[in-house]
Amino acid sequence: MQTKYLFYIIIGLLSNLTSVRAQQVIPSSKLTIQGRAFAESPGFHRVDTTKYHDLPPAVKKLYTHSAGLFVTFRTNSTKLSIDWETVDAALGNNSTPIMSRGFDAYVKESNGWRFAGVARPHLKNAESSFTVVENMEKTEKEFLLYFPLYKGLRSFQLQIDEGATFTPTVQKYDKKIIVYGSSIVHGASASRPGLAYPAKISRSINADVINMGVSGNARMELEVAKMINDIKDVDLIVMDCVPNSSPQQVKERTFAFVQELRKAHPNTPILLIESITRQIGNYDQKWKERLQEQNANFKTEYDRLVAAGYKNLFYIPTDHLIGDDYEGTVDGTHPTDVGFERMVKIIQPEIEKILDLR
């Protein structure tokens, strides 16, 4: 009887080993990193911070986050898993682990990209492994895989069925849009990476929307404008940077920032967006007054730019950006998925109009 049980144990172990071995590992080096302004950026960083050494230290660190970066590929695998490592396992108190440290997968259908699944990170370890989706039909599909929004990504590899086909792909876009802004652009507080508003707009209008958000640090420094000036073939620059700039900074820096951008992008449309109405100011009078002064100063500077002869400038006020029911944020400041969807419904039509995409 003991021999019989031992036989079954060995068979079970061999079966498990076969299952483990029946996986094809795809290293990240086989894929093309997309969604960033500079192809030559190291690793999974958005910007080569050694090249742009004059950027403020906090901004440089934030541009090592993989926000907005993604890969695409085709496979007929029935299962997709990911092993990855981020710089650490810490989480923000207003973000989901999936948004901050996880991956978000979509499959291309005839009517656009369709959500397929997420990779949930380990909550204590920087290293994680997760099966994004399984039990799929064995037909070839094209996947889009968004990277973590709020962490530096150190490494990742895909796992697919042994013997499954695999072809890296690169997306072709009609337009390139740079979105510079605060934590809201960076992605707080979407539930998963693909629901940050730059990513949502990108999928919707087939544009290469580059996420240049720097959480808490979008203060219109000239060094940032100079870096943006090195980005080639830009069709639109979006400035959604008012939330992080003090009223005085808005007053002192907006004109100079646009003036600097015009040195390399003399005719590129620039869309200026006021800060969303922060619902934390519903009862906190200091926050309410700060927001009103920020946006008022931004509008004054926009009007001053127009009066000075600057062309191709466009403006979106705070009105209705996250709705009017006070339920569009997670903490009174950062949009939920509902808040982001409301923002997209206002921002995207303006972008389509500016770029004549209708």
Side-chain angles (χ1 to χ4, degrees):
M1 183 67 70
Q2 288 180 341
T3 302
K4 183 178 180 181
Y5 284 144
L6 181 61
F7 172 78
Y8 284 129
I9 290 171
I10 292 171
I11 292 296
L13 290 172
L14 289 173
S15 176
N16 287 338
L17 284 173
T18 301
S19 175
V20 169
R21 288 173 181 166
Q23 296 291 312
Q24 182 181 169
V25 175
I26 310 296
S28 61
S29 59
K30 287 192 174 182
L31 296 151
T32 299
I33 309 301
Q34 300 165 73
R36 59 185 172 191
F38 305 104
E40 67 275 14
S41 299
F44 309 108
H45 297 179
R46 289 180 285 169
V47 171
D48 183 349
T49 56
T50 60
K51 178 179 179 181
Y52 297 99
H53 51 81
D54 289 334
L55 292 172
V59 172
K60 286 197 288 188
K61 181 178 180 180
L62 290 165
Y63 278 137
T64 67
H65 292 184
S66 54
L69 305 190
F70 63 91
V71 293
T72 57
F73 53 89
R74 292 192 183 95
T75 181
N76 65 356
S77 180
T78 65
K79 181 178 179 179
L80 175 64
S81 302
I82 309 177
D83 304 318
W84 76 101
E85 182 183 0
T86 52
V87 294
D88 58 53
L91 295 171
N93 59 15
N94 63 353
S95 63
T96 71
I98 293 170
M99 175 275 275
S100 179
R101 295 183 49 233
F103 288 77
D104 190 7
Y106 293 75
V107 170
K108 183 176 282 186
E109 300 289 352
S110 58
N111 61 345
W113 294 100
R114 183 182 185 186
F115 172 70
V118 297
R120 303 182 186 186
H122 195 285
L123 294 181
K124 295 183 179 179
N125 300 331
E127 301 88 358
S128 301
S129 296
F130 201 84
T131 295
V132 177
V133 58
E134 55 188 339
N135 305 314
M136 294 183 286
E137 293 181 358
K138 196 171 183 179
T139 56
E140 188 176 69
K141 304 171 185 65
E142 185 168 21
F143 285 85
L144 182 158
L145 187 66
Y146 286 109
F147 291 3
L149 290 181
Y150 262 79
K151 285 294 170 185
L153 180 64
R154 283 186 171 161
S155 63
F156 81 94
Q157 63 181 21
L158 308 179
Q159 290 189 27
I160 60 174
D161 298 341
E162 185 176 12
T165 61
F166 184 86
T167 306
T169 61
V170 176
Q171 300 306 299
K172 294 182 179 179
Y173 292 108
D174 301 323
K175 301 290 183 180
K176 180 189 285 186
I177 301 169
I178 304 300
V179 186
Y180 166 63
S182 67
S183 54
I184 295 168
V185 173
H186 202 139
S189 293
S191 60
R192 59 179 200 256
L195 294 182
Y197 91 74
K200 287 173 66 69
I201 291 175
S202 176
R203 293 195 305 276
S204 181
I205 66 174
N206 190 45
D208 191 11
V209 182
I210 309 297
N211 187 324
M212 300 297 283
V214 280
S215 181
N217 286 273
R219 299 193 178 96
M220 294 184 279
E221 298 93 346
L222 287 182
E223 292 78 9
V224 175
K226 291 174 182 177
M227 177 195 66
I228 293 174
N229 279 347
D230 284 345
I231 305 173
K232 307 300 182 184
D233 304 317
V234 179
D235 296 289
L236 173 65
I237 298 170
V238 178
M239 291 174 55
D240 187 0
C241 45
V242 174
N244 291 159
S245 302
S246 69
Q248 190 64 24
Q249 287 171 334
V250 172
K251 183 177 181 179
E252 293 175 350
R253 297 182 179 183
T254 302
F255 194 102
F257 194 85
V258 172
Q259 191 175 44
E260 183 64 34
L261 291 176
R262 279 287 178 248
K263 291 179 181 179
H265 303 284
N267 301 309
T268 302
I270 299 176
L271 174 61
L272 294 83
I273 303 176
E274 288 185 358
S275 171
I276 62 169
T277 299
R278 298 197 183 202
Q279 296 161 350
I280 195 172
N282 288 346
Y283 297 100
D284 187 322
Q285 293 303 300
K286 186 176 180 180
W287 269 107
K288 182 177 181 179
E289 291 168 5
R290 183 178 189 271
L291 172 76
Q292 290 173 341
E293 191 176 355
Q294 285 173 305
N295 285 340
N297 288 353
F298 203 49
K299 183 59 164 62
T300 296
E301 293 306 300
Y302 167 76
D303 290 339
R304 194 160 73 92
L305 284 160
V306 172
Y310 285 90
K311 307 293 184 184
N312 268 351
L313 300 182
F314 303 87
Y315 196 86
I316 294 179
T318 187
D319 306 341
H320 317 299
L321 265 177
I322 54 169
D324 303 306
D325 57 7
Y326 309 108
E327 297 184 359
T329 71
V330 70
D331 54 6
T333 294
H334 300 94
T336 59
D337 295 340
V338 170
F340 277 130
E341 180 63 20
R342 291 170 177 175
M343 290 181 69
V344 168
K345 286 182 177 179
I346 291 176
I347 296 171
Q348 182 175 313
E350 186 66 20
I351 289 175
E352 290 176 330
K353 184 170 66 175
I354 293 169
L355 298 179
D356 195 22
L357 300 179
R358 294 179 174 181

